[in-house]
Amino acid sequence: MTSAENRCSLCGEPAVVRLAEPERRLCAAHFIEDAGARVFAAVKHECMISSGDRVAVGLSGGKDSTALLLLLHPILPALGASLIAVTIDEGIAGYREETLKAAESLTDELGVEHAIVTFTDLFGDDLDRLLVGREPQGCTVCGVLRRRALVEGVKRVGATKLATGHNLDDEAQSVLMNVLRGDLPRLLQDTSAGYPGHFVPRIKPLAVLSEKEIVTYLLLRSYFRDLPECPYAGTALRSEVRSMLAGLEHRHPGTMLRLMRFRDGVRRSACPAEPAKALSTCRICGELASGEVCQVCRLLGRDGK
Ligand code: SF4
């Protein structure tokens, strides 16, 4: 027997989730519909995709990017846009092979074009070898190289937008980390406009769904796969912030959504007096850099240091 309080607010069937803001309980079918409608509304409301766009989905094969592709796939034709999946193969033994297989089987099933860009092709070696002697910096090195690889992948496939699978938890964690680090420029940084000639606008349609909602969505649609964890995963601060936020969200539902509203409010009211510092181009590879040499060339030792 399902108690009256544990029934779908829309149809009275047994509820599978309870959502905050507005508070409601939903059955499996209405939750799947609700998640799709929220992503579609975010895409429309924030004008993320225009007619004629070729949208590259950064598809790692993990849960977030799988959900992103599943949610964007049915709505793009209605917006007059097309879709292509781009997977970055960093070369992480025991991890990437599995997620790559998952990405390939999903794109095959949906009939979505799929391009794979490898670190070896772009940087001359895989991540495992590039990290020898500096394994604790795994995510920092990988993050810089992955961003460049995605930019390169997007250029190769001729996409006009890049959609990434950042969810509400990722975004709220980043807000809190930037606050804890006192990093106002990063808190204000918005890559949704892109940088003409260097990178296309980046969109995050999944930022309206929490990690828990994404897992529920995949389980209900039978797309959840238990994949291995990246062996380099998790910087100390992000791990701490993740557990702190998870506890706060559990005790005070809606905390993460309110953090996002706080960030948007700060961005809107930020004083525009200081013009953004003009970025220069790297003297070695010609990509954007904040100094004479970009982070990628520095990490790869191309500057001879
Ligand atoms: Fe790269 Fe870190 Fe993600 Fe692993 S967890 S793929 S090292 S960014």
Side-chain angles (χ1 to χ4, degrees), residues 119 127 130-131 134 137-146 299:
F119 271 22
L127 186 69
L130 290 169
L131 281 180
R134 50 177 169 175
Q137 292 168 268
C139 282
T140 310
V141 175
C142 179
V144 170
L145 299 182
R146 272 181 65 82
L299 279 174

Side-chain angles (χ1 to χ4, degrees), residues 90 92 95-96 127 138-139 142-143 146 230 232-233:
E90 308 88 348
I92 303 175
Y95 164 68
R96 188 47 82 202
L127 186 69
C139 282
C142 179
R146 272 181 65 82
C230 174
Y232 307 110

Side-chain angles (χ1 to χ4, degrees), residues 237-298:
L237 183 59
R238 189 171 283 272
S239 301
E240 284 179 45
V241 166
R242 179 183 293 123
S243 12
M244 179 169 51
L245 260 181
L248 284 169
E249 182 67 35
H250 182 69
R251 291 189 297 280
H252 310 282
T255 297
M256 292 194 294
L257 272 176
R258 290 190 288 276
L259 257 178
M260 299 312 296
R261 283 189 208 128
F262 162 76
R263 182 205 65 183
D264 294 343
V266 172
R267 279 185 181 170
R268 275 195 302 272
S269 58
C271 174
E274 288 239 339
K277 198 178 155 204
L279 287 169
S280 50
T281 48
C282 171
R283 71 171 158 81
I284 299 169
C285 69
E287 282 300 331
L288 287 180
S290 51
E292 213 187 312
V293 177
C294 71
Q295 272 183 306
V296 171
C297 288
R298 265 188 274 136

Side-chain angles (χ1 to χ4, degrees), residues 23-80:
E23 189 173 335
R24 61 213 188 276
R25 288 167 199 265
L26 297 174
C27 64
H30 278 119
F31 171 68
I32 290 172
E33 205 177 290
D34 181 274
R38 272 189 284 155
V39 168
F40 187 66
V43 166
K44 289 281 279 180
H45 180 67
E46 294 173 34
C47 304
M48 291 186 195
I49 296 171
S50 314
S51 175
D53 265 338
R54 177 164 164 83
V55 180
V57 169
L59 179 69
S60 70
K63 59 182 171 21
D64 297 322
S65 58
T66 296
L68 178 63
L69 193 63
L70 286 170
L71 285 155
L72 284 186
H73 182 246
I75 64 176
L76 257 68
L79 297 169

Side-chain angles (χ1 to χ4, degrees), residues 94-305:
Y95 164 68
R96 188 47 82 202
E97 303 91 332
E98 285 295 305
T99 54
L100 206 53
K101 262 193 248 158
E104 280 171 335
S105 106
L106 182 66
T107 49
D108 280 354
E109 182 194 327
L110 299 177
V112 170
E113 213 182 318
H114 186 204
I116 300 171
V117 178
T118 70
F119 271 22
T120 305
D121 174 24
L122 286 180
F123 309 122
D125 227 331
D126 60 33
L127 186 69
D128 286 337
R129 275 194 288 265
L130 290 169
L131 281 180
V132 171
R134 50 177 169 175
E135 289 81 0
Q137 292 168 268
C139 282
T140 310
V141 175
C142 179
V144 170
L145 299 182
R146 272 181 65 82
R147 277 194 291 279
R148 174 66 60 84
L150 266 176
V151 167
E152 190 52 41
V154 165
K155 267 189 208 159
R156 287 184 183 183
V157 302
T160 54
K161 298 267 166 70
L162 168 64
T164 60
H166 293 86
N167 62 38
L168 178 60
D169 296 52
D170 299 327
E171 291 295 278
Q173 286 158 17
S174 297
V175 172
L176 201 50
M177 282 168 68
N178 287 329
V179 170
L180 294 173
R181 286 178 175 141
D183 195 341
L184 186 61
R186 246 174 195 261
L187 184 70
L188 298 179
Q189 193 180 53
D190 184 359
T191 53
S192 63
Y195 203 102
H198 290 278
F199 60 83
V200 300
R202 295 167 195 215
I203 58 172
K204 298 176 182 174
L206 225 55
V208 289
L209 300 180
S210 69
E211 192 174 323
K212 210 162 127 191
E213 288 174 321
I214 289 167
V215 170
T216 308
Y217 179 84
L218 292 175
L219 284 169
L220 292 174
R221 290 202 56 193
S222 307
Y223 279 99
F224 185 81
R225 289 192 189 212
D226 207 2
L227 291 166
E229 272 259 329
C230 174
Y232 307 110
T235 62
L237 183 59
R238 189 171 283 272
S239 301
E240 284 179 45
V241 166
R242 179 183 293 123
S243 12
M244 179 169 51
L245 260 181
L248 284 169
E249 182 67 35
H250 182 69
R251 291 189 297 280
H252 310 282
T255 297
M256 292 194 294
L257 272 176
R258 290 190 288 276
L259 257 178
M260 299 312 296
R261 283 189 208 128
F262 162 76
R263 182 205 65 183
D264 294 343
V266 172
R267 279 185 181 170
R268 275 195 302 272
S269 58
C271 174
E274 288 239 339
K277 198 178 155 204
L279 287 169
S280 50
T281 48
C282 171
R283 71 171 158 81
I284 299 169
C285 69
E287 282 300 331
L288 287 180
S290 51
E292 213 187 312
V293 177
C294 71
Q295 272 183 306
V296 171
C297 288
R298 265 188 274 136
L299 279 174
L300 296 175
R302 289 171 175 166
D303 57 349
K305 291 182 186 160

